[in-house]
Amino acid sequence: MTVSSHAFARSDEGLAQLLSATLGETLGSASITKRTALGTGTHPKELVEIEASEGQRRHLFVKYGGSVDLDPGGTRTGVLYEAQVYRDLLPLLDIRTVHYYGQVDPTDRLPVLVLDGLPDALRVKKVPGGRAMIAAAGWLGSFHAQTTSMTECRHLSWVERWPRSLLEKWCDPDSASPAHPKYREVLSYLVEHAIPDLLDEGHTIIHGEFYPKNILFHNEEVYPIDWESAAVAPSEFDLAMLIDGWPSEIREAARDEYAGMRWRRSATEASRRRLRIAEMILHARWLRTVNLTRDTANRRLPLLLELRQQV
């Protein structure tokens, strides 16, 4: 769907006034010195360099919300929800996160999320070697360890929950498209057996899109961003997203680091099986996308069938 970019088209002066008026207690008066548009994702976003009233330069990450449901039937919930995650969930945890300046509500009623810009940060997938991946796995294990006890907290009742119907939709045998004699059989197994098994166990709060592209690495520290899909769900989905597509040695090291931070011990065979099921469900999800490419099908379908042999 089209995202309104009215807020994104503000003049430098207009954006500076908006930031100063709404976030003045934190930022003081500010003038814009540089703006850099970032990619073409679901929401318009940019890095904004400002000079604050005390003469200090700061870098802000500014993300502009839309006026419509951007992800019908999916997991993304919008910028207002993401701001609530930064404001009401993440500060409860003993864990490093991107600094949240606030959520601006301009006159056009389209929300604007303002975070620390971390201008020298790299996406985890851009960091050579595996150290950023291992650090991200450790961060994730700590995050899940702390949120396991929060899933039924009344003050966090606003956190979304992934329903069984969502996972079944991703694995619907009737929507199977790759031509393979075993594919529909695997999907039926997921819907009838694997998904119920996965949902029977205790859940945590998950990031929901914990792919390396959504994790920043700055000064040897991990900073996950894009929290629109945060939800109560099986924790294995986050780890499956993180290790998707990486070499086996990095995947194994990441799994070990996660287990050490999550449980202070090695992963059990039961937890490894649950991770394989989550990986299968994610492969099935991407195999049913409208814009499925031959390369995606050729990579994910064999992995899905191989995982079925392991569970």
Side-chain angles (χ1 to χ4, degrees):
M1 292 187 177
T2 301
V3 179
S4 172
S5 58
H6 178 63
F8 189 64
R10 288 181 185 278
S11 66
D12 289 357
E13 181 181 359
L15 179 58
Q17 291 176 352
L18 179 67
L19 294 175
S20 296
T22 311
L23 307 175
E25 292 185 6
T26 303
L27 296 175
S29 60
S31 59
I32 307 294
T33 57
K34 185 178 181 181
R35 300 172 68 174
T36 305
L38 299 175
T40 57
T42 307
H43 297 286
K45 46 190 175 290
E46 60 180 328
L47 278 177
V48 179
E49 183 180 298
I50 66 170
E51 184 171 333
S53 55
E54 71 276 15
Q56 181 182 4
R57 288 185 181 270
R58 301 193 188 190
H59 296 84
L60 305 177
F61 173 84
V62 182
K63 184 175 183 179
Y64 301 92
S67 58
V68 294
D69 181 5
L70 294 166
D71 190 21
T75 63
R76 300 181 69 87
T77 52
V79 169
L80 282 174
Y81 178 82
E82 183 178 8
Q84 191 169 11
V85 172
Y86 279 108
R87 184 181 66 244
D88 298 336
L89 170 61
L90 297 181
L92 302 176
L93 307 175
D94 181 19
I95 204 163
R96 188 178 296 274
T97 59
V98 176
H99 181 72
Y100 167 72
Y101 282 108
Q103 174 250 316
V104 181
D105 192 10
T107 55
D108 55 24
R109 312 309 296 173
L110 300 181
V112 181
L113 177 67
V114 184
L115 306 171
D116 188 349
L118 297 178
D120 299 322
L122 292 175
R123 307 279 172 160
V124 161
K125 68 176 184 177
K126 298 290 187 180
V127 179
R131 75 182 194 282
M133 275 287 294
I134 307 307
W139 187 100
L140 184 63
S142 180
F143 173 70
H144 287 163
Q146 294 181 57
T147 60
T148 298
S149 61
M150 295 181 172
T151 57
E152 302 300 328
C153 291
R154 183 175 300 178
H155 64 282
L156 294 176
S157 60
W158 54 269
V159 177
E160 295 286 333
R161 292 175 179 267
W162 282 11
R164 176 172 175 170
S165 59
L166 175 67
L167 307 185
E168 290 177 339
K169 179 180 178 180
W170 292 347
C171 303
D172 182 9
D174 293 332
S175 65
S177 56
H180 191 284
K182 292 287 186 179
Y183 182 49
R184 188 179 296 271
E185 177 184 322
V186 171
L187 295 181
S188 296
Y189 164 77
L190 288 173
V191 170
E192 296 171 12
H193 302 286
I195 289 175
D197 288 348
L198 194 62
L199 295 178
D200 276 346
E201 299 291 332
H203 296 171
T204 64
I205 296 176
I206 69 169
H207 178 280
E209 290 185 271
F210 205 73
Y211 291 102
K213 67 178 182 178
N214 292 329
I215 309 167
L216 300 179
F217 195 60
H218 181 68
N219 291 337
E220 302 300 312
E221 297 284 354
V222 168
Y223 296 88
I225 56 174
D226 287 342
W227 286 89
E228 289 183 59
S229 296
V232 175
S235 59
E236 289 78 11
F237 283 110
D238 273 348
L239 184 56
M241 292 172 184
L242 175 65
I243 64 177
D244 181 38
W246 287 80
S248 58
E249 63 273 15
I250 294 180
R251 289 165 55 87
E252 187 62 31
R255 287 193 292 258
D256 290 345
E257 181 69 13
Y258 173 86
M261 295 300 294
R262 173 79 187 275
W263 300 295
R264 306 300 177 185
R265 56 168 171 76
S266 299
T268 64
E269 183 52 41
S271 65
R272 286 179 175 270
R273 178 179 181 273
R274 288 170 55 82
L275 176 59
R276 295 185 193 109
I277 290 173
E279 290 181 280
M280 291 173 67
I281 293 171
L282 290 178
H283 286 313
R285 176 189 184 184
W286 295 120
L287 283 168
R288 67 180 298 276
T289 56
V290 174
N291 298 319
L292 178 66
T293 65
R294 183 181 298 274
D295 287 345
T296 297
N298 288 342
R299 182 175 79 86
R300 291 193 179 274
L301 183 56
L303 291 172
L304 174 62
L305 299 177
E306 179 182 348
L307 284 166
R308 174 64 183 99
Q309 299 303 312
Q310 299 174 16
V311 298

